[in-house]
Amino acid sequence: MSDATAKTDLQISYVRDQMLPEQAAPAVNRGPIGWMREKLFPSIPQTILTLVCIYVLYLIIPPIIQFFLIDAVWFGEDRAACTTEAQGGVQPPDWFGACWAYVGDYANQFIYGRYPDESQWRVNIVWLMFFGGLVPLLMPSAPFKRENIVFMVLVFPIATLILLTGGNFDVRGLYLPLALVTGLALLVAYGFARGSQSDPMPALKATAIVCASFFVVITLIGFDFGLERVQTSVWGGLLVTMVIAVTGIAASLPIGIALALGRRSDMPIVRFFCVVFIEFWRGVPLITVLFMSSVMLPLFLPEGVTFDKLLRALIGVALFSSAYMAEVVRGGLQALPKGQYEGAMALGLNWGQMMRMIILPQALKLVIPGIVNTFIGLFKDTTLVLIIGLFDFLGQIQSSYSDPSWASPVQSLTGYFFACIVYFLFCFGMSRYSMYMEERLDTSQRN
Amino acid sequence: MAVTDIAPGGPSPHGQEEAPPKVALLNNPKVRSWLFQIVLGVVVAYLVYAGWVNMNANLQAAGVASGFGFLDENAGFSVAQSLIEYDQGTSSYGRVYVVGVLNTLVVAFIGIILATVIGFIVGIARLSNNWIVSRLATAYVEFLRNLPLLLQIFIWYFGVLRLLPGPRESFDFGPLGLLNNRGYFAPKPVWGDGSIVILVALIAGLAIAFGVSRWAHKRQMATGERFPAFWVGFGAIVGLPLLAFVAMGAPLTFDVPEMGGFRPSGGMTVIPEFIALLVALSTYTAAFIAEIVRAGILGISRGQSEAAHALGLRQGQNLRLVIIPQALRIIIPPLTSQYLNLTKNSSLAVAIAYPELTSVFAGTALNQTGQAVEIISITMLTYLTFSLLTSAFMNWYNARVALVER
């Protein structure tokens, strides 16, 4: 004890008793050099790997830039601009570059297909409505969300249908069945309301409003706006791609939710139908579904009833993607803790209220990445309709190769590269947006 | 789960003494649920019935004889690739179907193996500490995932393989064959006398490897000592046939294709449609598998690695014995769906006319016979069977590797 005291008295310490000021890391460990040492050349095998990768990049990137930017032809009238002299053009003998002049010449077809020139303003309005309605809907800070949703769900589809086809459908036969259904629906609504001894008026009112809006819709699409009828057989390009993708997305979400709920229902017959439906559509390739809808579906319809080819493809795509959507939604429903259901029941909510207000908002939020993945898959799958003879964006590009006025060895590479850019922008954009939404909606239930 | 019990205005269970409250029949959840189901059943049954009646009427009007008799008729078109004997003159539609199924299975099987290998490499590369490696892997995944598969097939087929030089200027890989715009001309193995011994040796090697691994496992369970079973098994599988090969005086030779006047002769031809489809399918699916693998590895908590290191396991052992076995539990279910997707996506071959099921059966045969209902049903049922079999197998495997808790 005394020794120790003596030592402290002497104030000699062998260990430093103050902190040294912080010093910067050695030069080799910071800045770009340090970063490269750590991330690119930490060991000999890693260095070899890095060098191999750099060599691969060297092999890939310069030729691509050379082909698509430096040697590319940007302006020209016909194939002469994009062929070498030996092939009948103006380019030097060993020229090999992209032919953007051809893409520019075909741009109109790639967007509208063979849609008549004098009616293309109708398509432009649809594009405008679509993006004008979608962009504020996707921005969380934009105001008027409710009005926006109403516009996109109610106004946009009907306006699109009328604008694109020309409207003026023969709907006279629909009024009588609709009147009958309305009567029946009112009766059922009244019956349920009376059964529960509550005021029947709200249910009746809601039913009446729904039926009345159907009347309005039918009248609208039967009304002659003086627009020329454009058959779907001349639609093409990005227009068809977007029609199929948007219809598929719009139809698959509600049908998929219904199927998912049905699959988890307690009613055995409902569950059985839903399971069979989902497993069947998920077990077969989309191509066979499209074949089925194009060659088999007409056989199932009574004589004289014919569906448009595009409409048949739409039905096939919608059924197919709703089966996938159902499984995604089921995942979300299963992931919710049981307490959420029990809490909703404890509040005395009925099944519909529980699903609408408690379960589905949470379940759907949980599976946003899955839903967007299904959307992306659906968007990519729209290309398959070219196999049953519809000209979507890729189909239009593919068919443009048969035009002799632009035929050249570089034509197909240019066209495919252009298709790659367009599809990549859409799909990559969607996936980035889903990541952003996921982050925004994250209530940190996950770790 | 038990959600439908709560129907609007439904009765809540009261005490037993109390009489249940009077409820209108329509509001009894049981009655209501059965009413709903019966209505649904009747509607579905009616739709099926109406479709059936319409179909028969339509077929009769079109003069198409229904039934499966056409399967015995002569198909009379040629098929570019066939694993079994197929002759344009005599073979029936039934045989076309078998040829198509086999071609689908071939491309799916090889594609699954390739996609798994590429997918695991890319998935692990995405997690690499090496900046450039992980960026390259990310670029691979993002590009291939976000482009339609059909576009990729077209690019490989029309954009790459069609632009290869013609047979006269084909790329010559010497003993590895020739590559030109007619396809890949690969060396063909020719089995000489005594090659059966090699096969026997291979089987023996497999048996030895299996036995050794069983024994090594048992010994490790009993004593904790590890035995290099992998290397011994590997040696047996490779070494024994090699030994037999040398002992029998090298009975295996290769028929290397050579450039003839117009087209290469000898060897075996891999048609360009097959190459394009295989490359597109496997690289596309690999992008998805890479993401699955990455998620699976990231899903293992860091503590597992740390514990393994604390036990003195090296990095390789840690990966092989600790991380991968646990990651597989996360990886396998989504991997199964990717295998299924690949198999189903092989139907896109119809766009470049690789003779698989959809292309020759639901395409050419359907056009020739007009038997839409029969052919589409057979095709769909075939794919459905593939799907169900694959999921059954993978579920069995999944159950084997799943975590057994209490």
Side-chain angles (χ1 to χ4, degrees):
Chain A
M1 187 67 188
S2 60
D3 277 0
T5 339
K7 261 177 198 166
T8 39
D9 284 343
L10 279 172
Q11 289 297 312
I12 301 170
S13 52
Y14 292 92
V15 179
R16 183 184 287 281
D17 55 4
Q18 299 157 298
M19 290 290 280
L20 271 182
E22 275 180 26
Q23 286 186 352
V28 288
N29 285 341
R30 64 190 146 95
I33 299 172
W35 180 86
M36 272 166 60
R37 270 173 63 114
E38 191 196 344
K39 296 288 184 186
L40 295 181
F41 310 106
S43 63
I44 292 172
Q46 290 290 333
T47 305
I48 297 172
L49 208 58
T50 304
L51 293 178
V52 168
C53 288
I54 291 174
Y55 181 66
V56 169
L57 283 178
Y58 167 74
L59 284 185
I60 299 175
I61 293 185
I64 289 185
I65 292 176
Q66 183 83 19
F67 181 84
F68 289 109
L69 292 176
I70 298 174
D71 282 349
V73 173
W74 298 89
F75 304 102
E77 290 301 310
D78 57 3
R79 69 183 292 272
C82 296
T83 39
T84 59
E85 277 160 7
Q87 294 155 344
V90 296
Q91 298 294 339
D94 56 349
W95 174 85
F96 189 63
C99 183
W100 294 116
Y102 141 75
V103 174
D105 195 31
Y106 265 92
N108 197 40
Q109 264 207 31
F110 290 163
I111 298 174
Y112 304 100
R114 291 187 292 116
Y115 208 88
D117 285 345
E118 66 276 7
S119 296
Q120 279 176 7
W121 60 270
R122 281 151 57 176
V123 185
N124 291 336
I125 292 183
V126 171
W127 287 122
L128 211 69
M129 284 200 302
F130 178 65
F131 288 108
L134 190 68
V135 169
L137 193 64
L138 295 182
M139 287 195 303
S141 56
F144 305 118
K145 276 279 170 300
R146 182 179 283 269
E147 290 78 357
N148 204 331
I149 291 174
V150 169
F151 173 78
M152 284 310 270
V153 173
L154 293 178
V155 182
F156 173 70
I158 299 161
T160 303
L161 180 68
I162 295 170
L163 277 170
L164 289 184
T165 58
N168 200 4
F169 289 100
D170 181 17
V171 288
R172 275 162 299 169
L174 288 176
Y175 281 110
L176 188 64
L178 189 63
L180 287 177
V181 169
T182 306
L184 203 68
L186 286 173
L187 214 67
V188 170
Y190 182 72
F192 273 120
R194 280 305 297 266
S196 60
Q197 285 142 23
S198 58
D199 182 13
M201 271 324 276
L204 285 182
K205 226 173 176 172
T207 318
I209 289 176
V210 169
C211 294
S213 43
F214 271 115
F215 270 111
V216 173
V217 169
I218 287 181
T219 314
L220 269 178
I221 62 174
F223 187 76
D224 185 6
F225 288 94
L227 296 172
E228 192 195 338
R229 169 60 56 89
V230 180
Q231 299 294 341
T232 57
S233 54
V234 300
W235 300 14
L238 218 47
L239 172 62
V240 163
T241 296
M242 290 308 264
V243 164
I244 296 175
V246 172
T247 324
I249 288 168
S252 70
L253 203 53
I255 303 178
I257 291 173
L259 283 170
L261 292 176
R263 190 167 183 165
R264 287 171 56 77
S265 152
D266 279 341
M267 299 184 258
I269 298 179
V270 173
R271 200 168 54 225
F272 173 77
F273 280 139
C274 289
V275 169
V276 169
F277 183 94
I278 294 172
E279 293 305 329
F280 177 75
W281 293 112
R282 273 161 40 91
V284 298
L286 178 56
I287 296 232
T288 55
V289 175
L290 290 174
F291 273 142
M292 190 184 99
S293 63
S294 79
V295 294
M296 240 163 100
L297 195 62
L299 291 177
F300 292 140
L301 299 172
E303 218 173 303
V305 179
T306 47
F307 270 178
D308 185 83
K309 197 176 189 179
L310 180 66
L311 186 57
R312 293 200 302 252
L314 284 178
I315 294 173
V317 168
L319 292 177
F320 184 78
S321 48
S322 46
Y324 279 83
M325 193 60 78
E327 287 299 271
V328 172
V329 175
R330 180 164 78 118
L333 292 176
Q334 279 176 349
L336 277 196
K338 210 169 186 285
Q340 296 292 327
Y341 292 91
E342 290 162 349
M345 293 181 207
L347 285 176
L349 300 184
N350 66 34
W351 186 83
Q353 290 169 323
M354 172 169 76
M355 283 301 157
R356 205 173 63 241
M357 301 193 285
I358 311 282
I359 303 301
L360 280 179
Q362 297 185 69
L364 292 181
K365 194 179 77 185
L366 277 180
V367 292
I368 282 181
I371 292 177
V372 177
N373 275 343
T374 316
F375 286 173
I376 296 177
L378 175 62
F379 187 81
K380 290 187 292 178
D381 281 346
T382 54
T383 51
L384 301 195
V385 297
L386 83 86
I387 290 170
I388 57 166
L390 289 169
F391 290 102
D392 73 317
F393 182 61
L394 184 59
Q396 206 74 52
I397 288 185
Q398 188 81 357
S399 75
S400 73
Y401 297 156
S402 55
D403 177 6
S405 64
W406 279 103
S408 75
V410 294
Q411 189 193 18
S412 67
L413 275 183
T414 312
Y416 289 136
F417 187 71
F418 180 63
C420 284
I421 297 175
V422 171
Y423 280 110
F424 185 79
L425 283 181
F426 275 104
C427 297
F428 191 70
M430 276 198 262
S431 74
R432 285 297 122 150
Y433 181 74
S434 94
M435 284 161 82
Y436 159 75
M437 262 338 250
E438 199 184 339
E439 216 160 89
R440 221 189 105 79
L441 291 177
D442 189 12
T443 40
S444 291
Q445 284 165 348
R446 288 170 280 185
N447 44 7
Chain B
M1 265 127 247
V3 260
T4 36
D5 286 347
I6 305 302
S12 46
H14 288 248
Q16 283 189 335
E17 304 87 45
E18 267 182 76
K22 249 191 145 161
V23 174
L25 203 58
L26 205 55
N27 271 9
N28 183 338
K30 267 243 161 70
V31 176
R32 205 188 253 207
S33 119
W34 278 109
L35 202 71
F36 179 60
Q37 296 189 67
I38 289 167
V39 170
L40 184 75
V42 169
V43 169
V44 171
Y46 171 76
L47 285 179
V48 171
Y49 169 76
W52 178 255
V53 169
N54 285 335
M55 184 187 81
N56 281 330
N58 284 325
L59 286 179
Q60 217 153 32
V64 178
S66 56
F68 294 91
F70 74 97
L71 285 174
D72 293 327
E73 284 168 29
N74 181 13
F77 62 90
S78 65
V79 174
Q81 176 190 313
S82 161
L83 287 187
I84 52 171
E85 216 172 291
Y86 178 84
D87 178 56
Q88 185 176 349
T90 54
S91 293
S92 65
Y93 285 113
R95 190 151 261 246
V96 167
Y97 168 76
V98 179
V99 167
V101 169
L102 288 176
N103 281 341
T104 296
L105 289 179
V106 166
V107 81
F109 181 72
I110 304 179
I112 283 174
I113 294 173
L114 272 180
T116 312
V117 172
I118 304 173
F120 268 80
I121 293 173
V122 175
I124 292 171
R126 277 199 80 174
L127 294 171
S128 165
N129 283 327
N130 191 321
W131 183 82
I132 200 164
V133 170
S134 69
R135 283 312 125 104
L136 265 181
T138 310
Y140 174 92
V141 170
E142 291 295 351
F143 276 114
L144 274 84
R145 219 166 47 143
N146 284 319
L147 294 177
L149 177 58
L150 190 61
L151 176 59
Q152 297 189 30
I153 293 177
F154 281 160
I155 291 177
W156 284 109
Y157 187 60
F158 295 109
V160 176
L161 291 177
R162 278 289 175 82
L163 293 188
L164 288 178
R168 279 165 186 282
E169 295 95 36
S170 43
F171 293 117
D172 199 338
F173 300 123
L176 286 178
L178 304 161
L179 181 68
N180 58 43
N181 63 8
R182 301 279 182 78
Y184 173 54
F185 296 83
K188 185 183 185 180
V190 180
W191 301 97
D193 293 334
S195 44
I196 188 79
V197 181
I198 300 177
L199 190 69
V200 173
L202 181 68
I203 293 170
L206 283 173
I208 289 173
F210 183 71
V212 165
S213 85
R214 286 285 298 263
W215 171 78
H217 184 74
K218 222 179 240 169
R219 192 178 81 139
Q220 193 186 356
M221 284 292 137
T223 67
E225 283 175 62
R226 289 181 61 79
F227 183 79
F230 176 77
W231 291 110
V232 172
F234 183 76
I237 293 173
V238 176
L240 276 182
L242 215 65
L243 213 65
F245 180 73
V246 175
M248 294 309 294
L252 173 67
T253 51
F254 283 97
D255 176 16
V256 179
E258 274 178 35
M259 207 44 237
F262 275 112
R263 44 176 299 125
S265 59
M268 52 184 181
T269 315
V270 184
I271 55 175
E273 289 82 13
F274 178 81
I275 303 175
L277 183 67
L278 183 68
V279 171
L281 275 180
S282 49
T283 51
Y284 177 79
T285 314
F288 290 87
I289 293 180
E291 282 300 270
I292 293 167
V293 169
R294 185 176 75 112
I297 293 178
L298 284 180
I300 304 304
S301 82
R302 186 177 274 274
Q304 295 287 326
S305 284
E306 289 166 349
H309 285 306
L311 284 176
L313 295 187
R314 275 176 279 113
Q315 183 61 35
Q317 288 176 320
N318 171 29
L319 261 184
R320 192 158 48 86
L321 300 172
V322 179
I323 303 295
I324 302 268
Q326 297 187 69
L328 275 184
R329 296 194 178 119
I330 308 178
I331 291 172
I332 283 176
L335 194 63
T336 312
S337 7
Q338 288 309 323
Y339 289 172
L340 286 179
N341 280 347
L342 190 146
T343 311
K344 286 187 288 171
N345 281 338
S346 70
S347 61
L348 298 195
V350 69
I352 56 170
Y354 168 70
E356 50 71 72
L357 179 60
T358 313
S359 176
V360 290
F361 198 60
T364 317
L366 173 59
N367 280 339
Q368 287 191 1
T369 59
Q371 305 270 8
V373 180
E374 291 84 356
I375 286 184
I376 299 282
S377 320
I378 294 178
T379 311
M380 284 186 145
L381 283 179
T382 310
Y383 280 110
L384 206 55
T385 316
F386 288 164
S387 294
L388 296 179
L389 283 180
T390 313
S391 343
F393 173 75
M394 291 308 271
N395 281 340
W396 167 80
Y397 183 66
N398 189 30
R400 257 181 62 109
V401 298
L403 189 62
V404 184
E405 266 184 309
R406 283 186 293 267

